[in-house]
Structures are given as C-alpha cells and as structure tokens.
Amino acid sequence: MGPGIHENAELKHSEEGKYPIVYGESKRGNKFAAFHFVNDKGEILIHTEYEPSDDDREKLENKTLNQIKRFKHIITKFVPEENFIFEATNFEDFVNKSIQILGTNHVGKKLRIKVVLNSNDYTTLPNYVPFIETMEVTKSKLSINTAMDKVVKEGRPDVEVASGVNPFAQPIEVADATGEYGANVQPTMDSDTAENLPF
C-alpha cells in the first residue's frame, strides 16, 4: 500500500492460514511484532513494532507507553477497550497477550487505515494515533497532515551535468578491421544531413 488513507483494508496475513500479527526476532536479535494488512485491491502493508530500547529510563518508558497506545489503538477496533487490560512481564509476553485478546475477532472486519512513510521511505502506520478506524465510522477522523506525515519519498532529483561540450562532436573509439580498439575516428557529416537530424 502506498502512502495515504486506505479504505476496506483488513488486519489479515497475505498468506493463507497465517495469523496477521507475527512475533519474531531479527538476525541482529531485535524482537518485533509485525502487523499485516491487506486492502480490497490486494495491496499489502506490514507495520513493524520493535521492542523499545533506550539507555535513558525516562525515554524508554515513553517509548513503551506510546507503543502500548498503538497496540491498544489497533486491537480495540475489534474488541471492547475494557478487554485490553492486562499485565505483561516483557515485550514477547505483551505481544502474545495482545494476540490472545484479539483472537479471531479481526476476521472479516473492514478498516480504514492511514499509511505514511518512515525515515527510510518504507510504508508504515504513523507513530501517533489515530491511524485506524472501522469502516462503520461514517465521519472519518483520519487525515494526512503534511506537517507531520511523510507521504513523499526523499528521492534526489537527477542532476544534469552542463559541461558545454557536445558529446556527439567528440572522437569515437572504434575497432579497426582486425577487431583491435584504438583507431581514433572523427565522425563526419555534411551540413544537409546535420540539418535533418531530429536533435
């Protein structure tokens, strides 16, 4: 899915029989939970939440609380808010309990989701709520805020080098009759031919 607001999406894995929230560990040992979404065009979004880490205790606490808020924001689109109250001992336990609370309540439920780009230009859900609502919501609260939401890749524009030299007027290195390179041949054309060229 590209950046923007997508309607009729589902919390659903693109591979048949797989659960839409997957707990895992990267090759570098980073623990994560991947949320899989598919819209009615068959486009896929995989939103990844990594285990928060920071040497600063206060920053770590803020990252953890914000992550809990994002999990709750997603899960409570399928279950009542009062169901999302539990204690967890660590990140893995938190993810597994969130999955347990969700169960199969997500199946067949249509969503409206907001997709943005992260700092590496990969599509994801925003770091702040709201970014998801059910299609039953008639007056959507989701919108793109260009001051906060990155929706355009940071691609660098092509830069044309202006040397002032006509590249077609340079000597061309061509193979001679023996197939050896080195014959320095200057291309020639008469003035009539030059005027009829398309460039």
Side-chain angles (χ1 to χ4, degrees), residues 146-158:
T146 51
M148 294 174 71
D149 301 323
K150 184 179 175 188
V151 291
V152 178
K153 291 187 177 184
E154 289 176 7
R156 292 173 180 82
D158 293 335

Side-chain angles (χ1 to χ4, degrees), residues 106-186:
H106 63 283
V107 177
K109 297 269 178 83
K110 300 291 183 181
L111 306 165
R112 185 179 293 114
I113 61 174
K114 175 177 172 177
V115 180
V116 296
L117 296 171
N118 66 14
S119 57
N120 295 319
D121 286 339
Y122 291 111
T123 51
T124 186
L125 297 174
N127 285 327
Y128 62 91
V129 300
F131 53 73
I132 186 171
E133 59 193 18
T134 66
M135 286 301 293
E136 293 161 8
V137 174
T138 52
K139 218 170 182 181
S140 178
K141 291 180 182 173
L142 306 185
S143 64
I144 299 294
N145 178 347
T146 51
M148 294 174 71
D149 301 323
K150 184 179 175 188
V151 291
V152 178
K153 291 187 177 184
E154 289 176 7
R156 292 173 180 82
D158 293 335
V159 178
E160 189 176 326
V161 179
S163 65
V165 178
N166 181 351
F168 299 105
Q170 299 300 307
I172 300 173
E173 191 113 349
V174 295
D176 61 17
T178 63
E180 304 248 337
Y181 282 87
N184 206 355
V185 180
Q186 179 71 34

Side-chain angles (χ1 to χ4, degrees), residues 96-114:
N96 288 333
K97 283 181 177 170
S98 296
I99 290 170
Q100 191 179 358
I101 289 165
L102 177 62
T104 57
N105 292 298
H106 63 283
V107 177
K109 297 269 178 83
K110 300 291 183 181
L111 306 165
R112 185 179 293 114
I113 61 174
K114 175 177 172 177

Side-chain angles (χ1 to χ4, degrees), residues 11 21 33 35 37 47 49 63-86 91 94-95 97-99 101-102 111 125-134:
L11 179 61
I21 305 173
F35 290 79
F37 294 88
H47 169 73
E49 290 279 351
K63 285 181 179 181
T64 304
L65 288 172
N66 284 331
Q67 185 175 74
I68 291 168
K69 193 184 283 186
R70 289 191 298 272
F71 266 75
K72 183 180 179 182
H73 183 56
I74 295 170
I75 305 295
T76 56
K77 298 301 162 281
F78 309 101
V79 300
E81 206 162 305
E82 57 268 20
N83 289 22
F84 198 78
I85 299 170
F86 61 93
F91 179 74
F94 172 70
V95 174
K97 283 181 177 170
S98 296
I99 290 170
I101 289 165
L102 177 62
L111 306 165
L125 297 174
N127 285 327
Y128 62 91
V129 300
F131 53 73
I132 186 171
E133 59 193 18
T134 66

Side-chain angles (χ1 to χ4, degrees), residues 1 5-12 37-45 109-113 135:
M1 288 184 223
I5 310 294
H6 292 265
E7 299 199 336
N8 296 311
E10 291 181 63
L11 179 61
K12 179 181 176 181
F37 294 88
V38 179
N39 66 15
D40 56 356
K41 298 174 191 165
E43 296 170 331
I44 299 163
L45 171 73
K109 297 269 178 83
K110 300 291 183 181
L111 306 165
R112 185 179 293 114
I113 61 174
M135 286 301 293

